[in-house]
Each structure stands twice: as C-alpha cells, then as structure tokens.
Amino acid sequence: MRSLIDILSLTTEEIDELIAVAEDIIANPVKYRDKCRYKKLATLFFEPSTRTRLSFEAAMYELGGQVLGFSEANSSSAAKGESVADTARTVSCYADIIAMRHPKEGAPLVASMAASVPIINAGDGGHNHPTQTLTDLLTIKREKGRLNNLTIGFCGDLKFGRTVHSLIEAMSRYTGIKVVLISPYELQLPGYLKKETLDAKGIEYKETTDLSAVMPELDILYMTRVQRERFFNEEDYLRLKDSYILTPEKLVDAKEDLAILHPLPRVNEIHTSVDADPRACYFRQVLNGKFIRMALILKLLEVE
Amino acid sequence: MHIDSIKNGVVIDHIKAGKSMEIYNHLELDKLDCTVAIIKNVSSKKMGRKDIIKVDSEMEVDLDVLGYIDPDITVNIIKNEVLCEKKKLTLPNQIKDVVKCKNPRCITTTEQDLPHIFKLTNAETKTYRCIYCESKAK
C-alpha cells in the first residue's frame, strides 16, 4: 500500500508512467469509466479548496467510483479535537483511498502513517502539493512534447509558492533544464532551494526582477498568485500583490510556442485579455489536473 | 581535584567545554540514582579544555543523541574498573525527540503527541530536517 505525500517520492519513470496513463485516458475515456466501480474516494479537506477537491471528485466519478468527505475543518471531527491520525484510521474503514488537504505542514504524512488505505496529499499548508506538480508536468509534456531541454520562467511569488518549489524540484531531475526566476526581491526563491536543488543538480539559473527582459528566452512561463494566506501581515501582501501582471503587451517578444501556465486561481496577475492567446494553457492545465489524478488513483489503488 | 574512578559504568569523554549540562539533560541523567560526576573545563592536549561525565552504574547510552550533539565525543564502557569498550560515534540517520520542530506551520505544533523526528539530509553540513515539514533542526 502506497501513498503520495511528496512529488520526489515518485521516480521519473513512475511519473512517465502516470503521464502515459493520463494520455491514454484522454485518448480512450470509455475504457476507464468503470475501472473504479464500487471503490470510494474520501476527500478530507481541512481547509477550503474548490479546484483541487472538485478535480479529485470528478476524477473518481469518471473512473466509475464514488466520493465521500468534507470540505472544511468545521464540519469534521477535527473541530472536536480529533487527531489527524485518528481521523485517518477512521476514514480508512469507509473509503479505499483518501485525498487530504490540511493547513498544517506534514499532516498528510501523519495520516499516511496511521491509515490502512493510500493517502494522497492534496496540499499541506505552504509545503507540498504533489498532484499540482503532476498536473504541471502533464501539461508541459502535452504542450511541449517533452520534459527535457526547456527554459522555464517562474514569475511572481517564488518565496511562498509551493507549486513553484515542487515544480523546480521535479524539473531539476530532467536534462537540459534552464530556470529563470522572476520576482520582486522580497518574494525570491528561498536560498535552500537554490543551493540544495538548483546548485546541487547543476541546473543553470538566473534571477531577475524584469519579466519583459527575459520573455524571449522562455519556453514555459509559470505564473503564480501572490497568496494572501501565506503572509503574516496584510501590509506586505497589499504592497506586493500587483508586482507582476501579465498582459498581451508583455507577450510581444515571447516565443510563438511559449506555454503559459498558472496553478490557478488567479487574482489579477494574468490579465483576462491574455486568455484568448493560444499560448495561454492554464485552463487546459485544469483539465489535465483531472486526468493525472485519475491516473494516480488507478496507480495507488493498483487497478490495471 | 580528586574524582574516584568508577567500577562499572560509563565515561563520556571529549565533550566540548561547556556542553556537559546539555548532554546531562538529553540523556536524562538526573533520573539516575547512582553517582554522576560532571567535570568541567578539564585540561586536554587535543581540545585545550573539555568536559567529562562519569556515571557510576551500567546504563544504555543513547548514542544517537550524543552523535547528533557532537560526533567527536567518546563513550567508554568500564567494567571492573577496566576500560572494556570504546564506542565511536557517528551522525545518526534519524533522531527522535531530541530537538523540537520550531516551524509554527508544522503539524507537530498542534498535535502534541507526535514524536519530533528529524532525518539527516546532508552529512557534510550536518543538516537535519523535520520529517513532517522539512524545516531544518535548529
């Protein structure tokens, strides 16, 4: 029995397999519609998330399975003071697999140590969000046809953005990757990631505050939201939230085949006029999120 | 100053000067009923000054704790007043309930019963990270 807590616990071969299954699901959806018949997914969301929860639920329904769960801590036994481990043990009795989001870092790992069914980390605070990373990888693969030899620009909140951290860690395992880090000084990528991931893996990278200046180099532009909930004070959030906004004008010098990704939801960091640009992939990315979660559920449930 | 040699017990030697109380607390030597000597600022050819702890009773020493605090410490097991074993320390791969995670966002801050476990992630820099949130041990 296996869980998915951290993207790096999957080998690149396993990621390739998941991507291959997701692509097969996209090509042959009918083949998969009863694969999880009589199986149940529990979605335990201790903090609200529309997108991730609905994506998991849609994934399970499309596999013919069923879904139960809660979408905020107040409506769970956590409000009565139950531990994460006890909740996981209990829900293991009702469901075949659990997707858990929790505001505290490490909660899904604690759940996986106690549960008797696989746990999928659906986001633990600012720490890990492996299914978002799988979504990003599938999107890159589908848009660019490869996961190597790419120059990827990460723009916005690189300090608190867990999706950025995980994607950098995941991409650093492929060859020919160059990273461009675009952010205000206050929201730069943490030093340990530069040292322990980029430097350690010999990944070429540069830091800049000027999005337009590096635009022509990029194969992928990964935009992020400056998240209110990751700040300790409101003042810093308000000062930095509009730092980098993508507009059609900024895309003038971009490559024809640039892929613009965003984990969503966006606030205003990508102007809606960019949406019509064929290089805007973020809504296709949402759809990919459902397909890769389907592939992951199949893998963890060991359904052939 | 004269301190009796011990008959059966443990001598923890080559402790960095000033670190002996930290070790005393981590090993919970206060809970022992036997004689325990903490000798501070002993002259040492190798270290200049060092601390030594002598425990006049056989006991299981948590080598992981000592290895984490300082792998250069030596542990001598004494039997019938003779040194019978010299234990070499290494950096442990994992430590449990030796240090607490300081990250306010870590699950250990709200779930008090969870053990605080840190894993060695870089032996060169002696970096340990919390298994739950991956914060560095401080």
Side-chain angles (χ1 to χ4, degrees), chain A residues 25 34 53 65 76 118 130 134 159 222 240 255 261 288 303:
Chain A
I25 293 170
D34 284 324
R53 185 170 57 84
S76 80
L134 287 173
K159 184 178 181 185
Y222 195 93
L240 294 168
K255 285 184 182 171
L261 276 69
N288 289 333
V303 174

Side-chain angles (χ1 to χ4, degrees), chain A residues 69-120:
Chain A
F70 54 82
S71 55
E72 54 174 326
N74 288 341
S75 56
S76 80
S77 51
K80 297 175 190 162
E82 187 178 50
S83 70
V84 168
D86 281 1
T87 304
R89 271 186 210 107
T90 306
V91 177
S92 296
C93 302
Y94 306 139
D96 301 286
I97 187 165
I98 296 170
M100 174 187 275
R101 168 164 290 195
H102 199 286
K104 287 289 180 179
E105 299 175 9
L109 176 67
V110 173
S112 72
M113 290 164 155
S116 54
V117 300
I119 300 280
I120 301 173

Side-chain angles (χ1 to χ4, degrees), chain A residues 26-58:
Chain A
I26 294 164
N28 309 291
V30 176
K31 192 171 123 189
Y32 291 88
R33 69 182 178 195
D34 284 324
K35 290 275 186 191
C36 287
R37 209 168 176 191
Y38 307 118
K39 301 272 187 197
K40 285 173 293 211
L41 164 77
T43 50
L44 311 186
F45 277 60
F46 292 85
E47 72 175 1
S49 157
T50 316
R51 186 174 328 276
T52 306
R53 185 170 57 84
L54 293 185
S55 179
F56 270 110
E57 294 186 359

